[in-house]
Amino acid sequence: QKASKHVDKYALYVPKSGVFPKGFKVATQATGVKKNGNLDLGIIRNVNTSRPSSAAAVFTTNKFKAAPVLVSKEVLEVTGGENVDAIVVNSGCANAVTGEVGLKDAREIAGVANQKLGKQNATLVMSTGVIGQRLSMDKIVPALSQQFETNAFKDDFESWLNLARAISTTDTFPKLISSSFKLTNGTEYTLTGIAKGAGMICPNMA
Amino acid sequence: TLLGFIVTDLPITPSALQKMLRSATDRSFNCISVDGDMSTNDTISMLANGAVDTAVIDESSQDFVQVQTQVTEFAQQLAQLVVRDGEGSTKFVTVNVKNALNFKDAKIIAESISNSMLVKTALYGQDANWGRILCAIGYAKLDNLQSLDDKKINVSFVATDNSEPKELKLIVDGVPQLDIDETRASELLAQQDLEVLVDLGTGSEECQFWTCDLTHEYVTINGDYRS
């Protein structure tokens, strides 16, 4: 992106450190879905067991919702947002406009993560990339399983930044922010946010 | 496609979390545009795992509004990073529509300006083309025209670098300023961060929308995305 190179956006907007919420770990891998060999699979996992987790989401209002959108909506409807402990994101292929096979693939990815977590309906899935192509399940599923089996999950800064990289497509820099705040009773808590997107951007989510 | 997630170690009930995220999204991710296209995959999710030892937050909790505000500001930061990375973009543009009759109208007008290809190319070319901004306001898909009064509308560029004069008025009470200071306009439009201020003068509601310029590179990047 020649125009973007006029300004060093990476230097301006990518943090060099961060504070991250307790009880979350992340893992990433380059599965080969992205042709350039970059990271293209990211997983965030809740490892806190002191209380059940809560989940919420907003989704595109596009009539042609991609398979992972439909599957994640189902998960939230079934669970009421309780006990959702993982989000699996792949980049390079959007699994959109893929019909029944796309739904089956998205459910299979969620199912693999659920099996590893030992829970039903505990995983949200997201995909981004090219529309109208089927996911390379032969690459994604083994990689996903491997992350759990080798306990590749970490909670250091570089791992979180890699998660932001893994979900990127045409982005010129990973988007990661984190901050600590205090409740009125003085209790400190943390927010961490990751996003991706550079084009096809005019969301209206509900 | 926009994807994102926000995670926290607070304990928050699912319904309170959904309310927070919905409110935050309406004031952040739903107020950005790079190219006017809505993806089939846009998703923002939020997880709260309760690892922090404190009382569970629900809609009636004392801390609910404070946390909701912090989540909203957080979401705005993330959303703005997406716009700053707009494909091929060189400028980050805040479109601020104020004094509308209602929030919905302010948002529709801000979005109309933010999605105008001609406004975005003019900003890339550093052309103070107020006519295109006014045009985009005029065709905004409002339910009715009660927020628009052609004798009350003001349009300005606002400096983002604290230089003076801070505001360069392009249209005052519906009258185009034909002798605008082109030198000052060039100074403002040369900046990486721009602000377009539209004062409708018909109410008290406002909306901020964030967009970017449209460059040759956008076409280069998207001409062969599948390959």
Side-chain angles (χ1 to χ4, degrees):
Chain A
Q1 296 190 12
K2 279 187 213 160
S4 300
K5 284 174 187 162
H6 293 169
V7 178
D8 187 352
K9 293 181 181 178
Y10 197 103
L12 276 173
Y13 305 121
V14 180
K16 294 183 173 59
S17 63
V19 286
F20 302 103
K22 297 172 189 170
F24 285 104
K25 290 191 172 185
V26 298
T28 54
Q29 190 164 338
T31 70
V33 171
K34 274 184 184 166
K35 291 170 186 167
N36 58 13
N38 287 347
L39 294 170
D40 54 23
L41 178 69
I43 311 150
I44 182 164
R45 178 182 178 186
N46 168 35
V47 295
N48 177 56
T49 54
S50 65
R51 284 191 254 223
S53 61
S54 297
V58 287
F59 301 101
T60 183
T61 48
N62 192 311
K63 172 71 175 171
F64 302 114
K65 292 174 181 59
V69 170
L70 297 172
V71 170
S72 293
K73 279 184 79 171
E74 280 174 9
V75 171
L76 290 177
E77 283 163 12
V78 169
T79 62
E82 288 182 0
N83 285 307
V84 173
D85 282 336
I87 305 172
V88 178
V89 191
N90 81 275
S91 58
C93 176
N95 191 14
V97 201
T98 44
E100 287 299 320
V101 292
L103 279 170
K104 179 176 164 290
D105 291 346
R107 288 194 181 108
E108 184 177 341
I109 288 172
V112 169
N114 288 338
Q115 186 191 20
K116 300 296 181 188
L117 293 166
K119 289 181 171 181
Q120 294 286 312
N121 296 309
T123 305
L124 303 179
V125 285
M126 300 181 188
S127 298
T128 179
V130 179
I131 294 175
Q133 289 182 1
R134 193 170 173 189
L135 283 178
S136 300
M137 297 296 280
D138 58 327
K139 294 173 180 165
I140 294 173
V141 169
L144 178 58
S145 296
Q146 187 189 355
Q147 295 303 301
F148 281 94
E149 287 159 10
T150 61
N151 197 19
F153 291 86
K154 296 179 181 173
D155 58 4
D156 59 289
F157 169 73
E158 197 59 33
S159 297
W160 282 94
L161 191 60
N162 277 339
L163 180 61
R165 290 187 178 114
I167 71 171
S168 295
T169 50
T170 57
D171 306 57
T172 63
F173 62 89
K175 296 157 188 71
L176 166 69
I177 57 173
S178 61
S179 289
S180 288
F181 304 91
K182 278 188 178 169
L183 298 175
T184 47
N185 66 8
T187 302
E188 192 170 276
Y189 72 98
T190 303
L191 289 172
T192 291
I194 287 179
K196 65 80 51 180
M200 197 178 271
I201 299 289
C202 190
N204 183 24
M205 296 174 291
Chain B
T1 294
L2 173 77
L3 295 184
F5 34 84
I6 296 171
V7 293
T8 181
D9 42 19
L10 278 175
I12 306 174
T13 64
S15 65
L17 195 70
Q18 186 68 45
K19 195 171 179 181
M20 271 181 202
L21 181 63
R22 177 67 196 266
S23 172
T25 300
D26 281 342
R27 289 156 183 79
S28 58
F29 296 107
N30 281 354
C31 290
I32 63 171
S33 177
V34 169
D35 47 23
D37 268 32
M38 186 199 295
S39 168
T40 51
N41 292 55
D42 293 331
T43 303
I44 300 291
S45 61
M46 191 165 176
L47 295 181
N49 70 358
V52 167
D53 186 17
T54 191
V56 176
I57 295 171
D58 62 20
E59 291 92 327
S60 62
S61 299
Q62 186 188 352
D63 287 313
F64 176 81
V65 173
Q66 180 198 321
V67 175
Q68 185 177 48
T69 301
Q70 284 161 346
V71 169
T72 300
E73 289 172 1
F74 210 71
Q76 286 175 344
Q77 285 181 52
L78 267 180
Q80 289 173 20
L81 285 177
V82 171
V83 175
R84 287 188 182 281
D85 203 15
E87 285 170 340
S89 70
T90 65
K91 296 187 186 304
F92 174 80
V93 185
T94 300
V95 177
N96 189 5
V97 175
K98 66 179 192 179
N99 294 324
L101 204 57
N102 54 64
F103 175 77
K104 187 181 173 193
D105 284 0
K107 188 171 181 182
I108 290 169
I109 289 167
E111 186 169 8
S112 186
I113 297 166
S114 299
N115 280 336
S116 163
M117 294 294 153
L118 288 175
V119 169
K120 288 154 73 74
T121 50
L123 294 173
Y124 172 55
Q126 302 182 16
D127 175 12
N129 196 323
W130 52 266
R132 291 180 180 177
I133 297 171
L134 199 66
C135 179
I137 297 169
Y139 67 65
K141 293 183 171 64
L142 300 164
D143 291 338
N144 58 59
L145 300 177
Q146 290 176 357
S147 276
L148 291 182
D149 183 335
D150 59 9
K151 293 184 176 57
K152 291 182 177 175
I153 192 166
N154 285 261
V155 178
S156 309
F157 287 133
V158 180
T160 57
D161 63 350
N162 295 321
S163 60
E164 295 290 342
K166 189 169 174 58
E167 197 172 340
L168 179 69
K169 292 182 181 298
L170 305 173
I171 296 169
V172 177
D173 297 332
V175 179
Q177 303 301 287
L178 299 179
D179 56 348
I180 64 167
D181 182 346
E182 292 287 353
T183 304
R184 180 60 178 155
S186 295
E187 286 171 1
L188 294 180
L189 290 169
Q191 293 173 8
Q192 188 190 338
D193 283 22
L194 308 177
E195 182 180 338
V196 176
L197 173 62
V198 177
D199 186 335
L200 296 173
T202 52
S204 58
E205 294 294 326
E206 67 180 302
C207 177
Q208 281 194 322
F209 218 92
W210 297 280
T211 188
C212 57
D213 57 347
L214 180 67
T215 73
H216 304 278
E217 287 304 303
Y218 181 85
V219 178
T220 302
I221 293 162
N222 285 288
D224 65 348
Y225 184 64
R226 284 199 310 160
S227 58

